[in-house]
Amino acid sequence: MAAIASAILAIVQALVGPIVGFLNTKVTAAEQVTLAKTSAITSVTGGVLSNLANADTLNADNRSKPIWGPTLVVMSLILAPFIWHEWLMVLDSCPMLWGLGWWGSIPYPELIHHRIGSWGVPSIGKPGPDGQSAWDRTEQAIFTSFFAGASTAVAAVAAIRAIKK
């Protein structure tokens, strides 16, 4: 009886053994994929957290610096008249402008009718006798003059910094 039982067990093991071994390797492969994914997620998460900490440090450094540095002050002083001039040119081309109305002694904003060209500013896009508009002749030249010397200024600043060291 023992011989029959061991023979049946051997037949079952011969039939089922390869299937069980195959399934075991599949489970092991699935576990390896899961472990690989987990380690990848862990490393990415660690990198993200480290980068977020660095970004927070940089943001704190930027917030501690003064907003009105010398560069911003000089740029404002140079660009303010140009922006004011452009604003007046554009506003002389608008049919309606904001004005200040008075109700007794209380001022309030109101839209007023503006006669285009009443300030004597030439039209922005209308070409003159020479084929160029007022923008092409003057405004574009003023605007590009701000940047024409920029490379020279950058080189001068670099030279001054090199001399100081």
Side-chain angles (χ1 to χ4, degrees), residues 2 7-8 10 12-14 18-19 53 56 65 84 90 120 129-130 154 164:
I8 292 175
V12 170
Q13 190 175 18
I19 296 172
D56 288 341
K65 293 180 182 176
W84 177 255
V90 171
D130 60 350
V154 168
K164 283 184 177 180

Side-chain angles (χ1 to χ4, degrees), residues 62-73 76:
N62 285 340
R63 285 190 205 107
S64 67
K65 293 180 182 176
I67 294 173
W68 286 95
T71 304
L72 190 59
V73 170
S76 299

Side-chain angles (χ1 to χ4, degrees), residues 7-22:
I8 292 175
L9 188 61
I11 292 172
V12 170
Q13 190 175 18
L15 292 174
V16 178
I19 296 172
V20 171
F22 175 75

Side-chain angles (χ1 to χ4, degrees), residues 26-43:
K26 286 296 181 188
V27 169
T28 304
E31 286 176 1
Q32 289 175 355
V33 169
T34 303
L35 288 174
K37 285 181 181 178
T38 304
S39 69
I41 289 171
T42 304
S43 68

